[in-house]
Amino acid sequence: MTSSPTPTDEEEVYGVTTLELFFDLVFVFTLIRLTDVLIGEFTPLGVFQIVLMFGVLWWMYGGYAWLTNMTAPRTTPHRLLILAGMGGFFMVAIGTPTAFTGGGGLVWGLGYLLLVLAHVVLYARGNPNILRVLPANLLAAVLIIVAGLLDGGPVVYALWTLALVVPIVQPYIVPAGGLFSIRPEHIVERHGLLVMITLGESIISVGTGAAHAELDAGLVVAALLGLALAAAVWWTYFTGDDERAEASLAAADDVRRVQMTMFGYFYAHIPLIIGVLVAAAGMKKAVEHAWEHLKPGTALAIAGGVALYLAGDVLFRRVMRIGPSGIRLGAAVAALATVPLGLWLAAAEIAALILVLAAAVLLERRHPRRSRTDHPDH
């Protein structure tokens, strides 16, 4: 197997570029479209649709994140190809609401094809080994395009499922060791900023909900509670875990580092990111009706979103071995237990979730982080 190119010392350390942040803004907008569909169609079939679309999208986002981890987009051709990828995500966002029931599926598939082509051209400039995985990525795009040409039915879901399975099995067919050289400082910063942008959506949701309600003291309190909940989530992620994760990745050998990045920043961040977005979608309605009872779907979206975020954070910490996870796992269970409060009063559920997250952080500070200094290979 041909190893990936070794970065020079000059290229070894660089921060996330503004173009990458721009790219992530478009990507998060695409995810927002998914959560909007979920809230509007909160049924088992609607959830299945979101799982399929998010799984396919997250795979390609990871591909772009790992691509810019290998080389910064500094040249004009490189930047133009990144912008083309952004166009692909925007097409996907436009096609999302009718991806399974109308013409959106074809637009979705063509947008995904654009993502695949821009990505492979970019990656091949630095590492031609990426061409080995191109057939699998192209197959996923073709499957979605074909599904978009059909008029609904079980075959559409079968094709989408195959499009999701193809990238999942791809690493086992084409090992990642020859394709990637992970820079810990960049991969940690990139995903941290993605979490920040996602949290920003929760702030926008609070503001959007407040804009549709009468301005009074109750609305101000509700909006501040929404902000406090977003801040509590921020506190659990950005108060040292990112620095410890970077140190853990840096201490690992090349093969182990790729594995940790795959399971910590790809798989574990799936529930983490989805959880924040689902909670944000629920907050949009909760702030508007903060002093009323919520519908079961909205109450579950807020509490379930926070619980899902915490579950992803637990998995992330375990993969990176950067801290105990029992307290946060208990907090996830406690978050789900706040749903009945939302069925009584929306503000009560939001306040309870803030207390759950604050209690988790305080309990962790009172107990030593036994695995903080564990080496990943121990």
Side-chain angles (χ1 to χ4, degrees), residues 14-24 68-69 71-75 78-79 82 186 189-190 193 197:
Y14 57 82
V16 174
T17 64
T18 55
L19 182 58
E20 291 172 84
L21 287 176
F22 192 14
F23 184 92
D24 287 356
T68 51
N69 181 262
T71 177
R74 295 191 178 104
T75 67
H78 199 156
R79 290 168 176 166
I82 292 288
H186 182 275
E189 183 184 5
R190 179 70 184 270
L193 288 171
I197 294 172

Side-chain angles (χ1 to χ4, degrees), residues 76-136:
T76 297
H78 199 156
R79 290 168 176 166
L80 289 174
L81 285 167
I82 292 288
L83 290 169
M86 291 166 57
F89 271 128
F90 211 72
M91 289 175 65
V92 166
I94 294 171
T96 290
T98 56
F100 290 84
T101 58
L106 179 58
V107 175
W108 211 106
L110 291 173
Y112 191 76
L113 178 61
L114 179 56
L115 280 167
V116 169
L117 294 177
H119 178 263
V120 74
V121 173
L122 279 165
Y123 225 119
R125 291 163 62 91
N127 188 349
N129 288 331
I130 193 67
L131 295 175
R132 291 181 294 157
V133 303
L134 176 60

Side-chain angles (χ1 to χ4, degrees), residues 315-364:
L315 179 57
F316 171 66
R317 286 178 140 217
R318 292 182 67 86
V319 170
M320 295 294 167
R321 298 193 176 186
I322 58 173
S325 56
I327 292 174
R328 297 199 180 195
L329 191 59
V333 175
L336 285 175
T338 66
V339 172
L341 286 175
L343 299 178
W344 169 61
L345 191 69
E349 180 181 9
I350 299 170
L353 287 169
I354 296 169
L355 291 175
V356 166
L357 291 172
V361 172
L362 290 173
L363 285 172
E364 286 177 350

Side-chain angles (χ1 to χ4, degrees), residues 95-227:
T96 290
T98 56
F100 290 84
T101 58
L106 179 58
V107 175
W108 211 106
L110 291 173
Y112 191 76
L113 178 61
L114 179 56
L115 280 167
V116 169
L117 294 177
H119 178 263
V120 74
V121 173
L122 279 165
Y123 225 119
R125 291 163 62 91
N127 188 349
N129 288 331
I130 193 67
L131 295 175
R132 291 181 294 157
V133 303
L134 176 60
N137 288 339
L138 284 177
L139 176 59
V142 169
L143 289 169
I144 296 171
I145 291 172
V146 172
L149 294 172
L150 300 177
D151 189 21
V155 176
V156 170
Y157 289 92
L159 291 171
W160 270 91
T161 302
L162 285 174
L164 175 60
V165 170
V166 165
I168 290 176
V169 302
Q170 181 175 276
Y172 301 98
I173 300 173
V174 181
L179 294 176
F180 305 109
S181 177
I182 299 298
R183 293 177 171 87
E185 66 286 339
H186 182 275
I187 208 74
V188 171
E189 183 184 5
R190 179 70 184 270
H191 286 82
L193 288 171
L194 177 64
V195 173
M196 277 297 301
I197 294 172
T198 309
L199 282 172
E201 163 56 19
S202 66
I203 304 300
I204 293 172
S205 295
V206 170
T208 302
H212 293 91
E214 183 180 353
L215 181 59
D216 54 20
L219 179 62
V220 173
V221 172
L224 290 176
L225 283 174
L227 176 62

